[in-house]
Amino acid sequence: MDDMLKDFVVEAMDLAVNVEEHLLCLERDPDNKETLNAVFRSFHTIKGGAGFMGLPALVAACHLTENLFDALRTGAAPVTPIAIEAALQASGFVADQLTELANGSAPESLPAMPEELEHILTNAIEGKGMDAAAPAAATAVEVAASVAAVVVAAPVAAVATASADGLDWEGMYNAVVPAGSQLAGTPAPVAAAPVAAAAAPAATATATAAAKPAGKAWDGAERREERPEVRHAAPVKEDSIRLDAVKLDALLEVAGESVQAANQAAVLLERLLQFKFEGQAATLMATLAETLERASRYSTELQRATLATRMQPVGRLFQKFPRLVRELAKDLGKDVELTIEGAETEVDRVVVDSLYDPLVHMLRNSLDHGVESPEARLAAGKPAKSYISLKAWQEANSVMIVLQDDGKGMDPLFLRSKAQQKGLISESAQLSNDECFQLVFLPGFSTKEVASSVSGRGVGMDVVKTAVEKNRGAIHIESTLGKGTKFAIRLPIELSIVPTMLVSTSGAALALPMAVVQRVVELPETFMEVGGAPVLKDQGRPLPVRSLAGSLGYEACSERVGIVVAAPQPYILAVAAVDGTADLVIKPMTAITVEGITGTARSAEGELVLVVGLSFLMDGCRGSVRMAA
């Protein structure tokens, strides 16, 4: 794919996503003129670029949808569910074509616009219902001839069209064609007969000419005449550039390593200053200290600026879900409304990209398993409409993403029974409610007797947990029978550089993510016990005490320092010593897998440090419920 086509696909995909969001808003507020105009402009812009790139199916779909919204915004046609459905189908077709282009398909290999889509759009324009008869052949021929006029015979007409994005398509076209072929200031009339001859048999051309209603034919120049001032506008100044993500990752890694090197240099300088220097040596040492301090400051600023370029709002991810929920709820016969909060919360680009599939699995499960049918809700004394909320917010050095429904909730006893029936846990397993909820993350676990197209095959939720932990995050479930279920995901704001607390135990140097560290306490020689387990009162509440060495399988040692961990069930983590805090560049371990360890890093002194996983700490320093042997 050449660079010009690649840029068009990226920009058009952004517009297509926004179109879906606008259409769902329009479904709730049909009289919103601003939304109607926004959808019209988006399809108009995509059509202009598609014509320039020689994509007839895209031009045809966008042109018909543009006509529909022209009728809707002028009041010539009403905003009905049929019109919204037609526009959503057109948006889906446009998105599919753009996805195929993004995946490397050649423009000429793209499928034509389906007849069904053409029919529903035409019916919507004419105010007919979904089951109306197929439009007359003349309409289909007219659209095909219009597309041919834009793509085959007159790319001039397509590129001269001024789009809502402010691009000077006429200037772009003149820059790439041979001398003598440039566009004049006033668009030349387009010859329709040769186009028809080139694009279709002569009979089709004759039918097209006869079928066009007077004054309504689309010749590709109609909207240029409506806004001549845009055609002569100067190109909009670009205030952003697109950068390969691999290059950005490499830059961030270099920035992180420069900070680490600066920190190590500062430690070495501090050791050198313990010696006595006199004369010129003392002057050089003072200059060296000043230079290193400046280098450290600049490397930190570089790291900060590079991190900012990777941060993206989670709204880019969330805006894809309203239509998913709408379509799936319709298929399942349920009345569900999705509310979104905190879309402006920023998180690392890698996290945004990797969370789509997990959140889709969670939404599908919430719709299929969680919320009830309208009849069941009314029988239980609930409103017929169910609600799912998706929220995001920043909390310390983490981002919280919470998906919550007001459905029937989960029964821990039923979950345990199902897991035992499937042989996933032993018959004698004694599990707490929280541990029963964790069973849904086991591969092969499902409460459905028969698999459907939505769920029931025992895959999905294990993928969710794997994806979250791969991003050094943790997921927790809370559920109340009859009230609903809440999934809470905690993730680091950015992945490569993590604020940590450095600790040591049993001779090992370890780092704990600061996201779960509340405070450090001194541990006594002896503890009171509850159920045979050590407990210590902290701020008036009894908290269990767990050994970090014991949890990781290290040799027992004297651990007299406690760290209060902010987990769903708070506890105190016992370590031998706390060695300070540091922002570490984390390197994931790919060759081996160690329970509780998520990666490695280098301290300021250059020592290798093992990073304890956030999920491991959130689960109380123990692995998830394991399958039966």
Side-chain angles (χ1 to χ4, degrees), residues 588-607:
M589 294 194 303
T590 55
I592 59 173
T593 300
V594 179
E595 178 74 24
I597 302 299
T598 190
T600 62
R602 291 280 178 186
S603 67
E605 289 79 12
E607 296 180 355

Side-chain angles (χ1 to χ4, degrees), residues 339-420:
T339 59
I340 293 176
E341 297 180 28
E344 71 284 354
T345 305
E346 291 192 330
V347 71
D348 192 286
R349 172 191 63 81
V350 177
V351 175
V352 173
D353 292 341
S354 62
L355 275 183
Y356 177 74
D357 285 340
L359 286 175
V360 166
H361 283 304
M362 292 165 66
L363 280 168
R364 290 168 69 89
N365 274 276
S366 183
L367 283 160
D368 196 21
H369 295 283
V371 299
E372 313 95 326
S373 64
E375 298 78 15
R377 290 178 65 85
L378 290 172
K382 294 182 176 182
K385 177 182 283 189
S386 53
Y387 293 89
I388 298 177
S389 67
L390 185 58
K391 301 179 183 179
W393 69 89
Q394 185 175 336
E395 190 175 281
N397 296 308
S398 302
V399 167
M400 296 295 300
I401 298 177
V402 173
L403 178 69
Q404 186 169 6
D405 65 58
D406 65 346
K408 59 187 177 184
M410 293 194 290
D411 183 350
L413 298 179
F414 178 70
L415 294 176
R416 186 179 65 183
S417 172
K418 276 290 180 182
Q420 289 172 340

Side-chain angles (χ1 to χ4, degrees), residues 475-522:
I475 184 169
H476 180 68
I477 302 176
E478 295 178 16
S479 187
T480 304
L481 270 177
K483 298 294 181 65
T485 302
K486 179 171 77 173
F487 292 87
I489 299 175
R490 183 189 290 267
L491 294 159
I493 290 179
E494 53 82 22
L495 294 178
S496 56
I497 303 172
V498 180
T500 62
M501 173 173 283
L502 302 176
V503 302
S504 56
T505 192
S506 193
L510 301 157
L512 311 178
M514 288 295 293
V516 293
V517 174
Q518 284 192 333
R519 60 189 163 275
V520 178
V521 298
E522 185 178 355

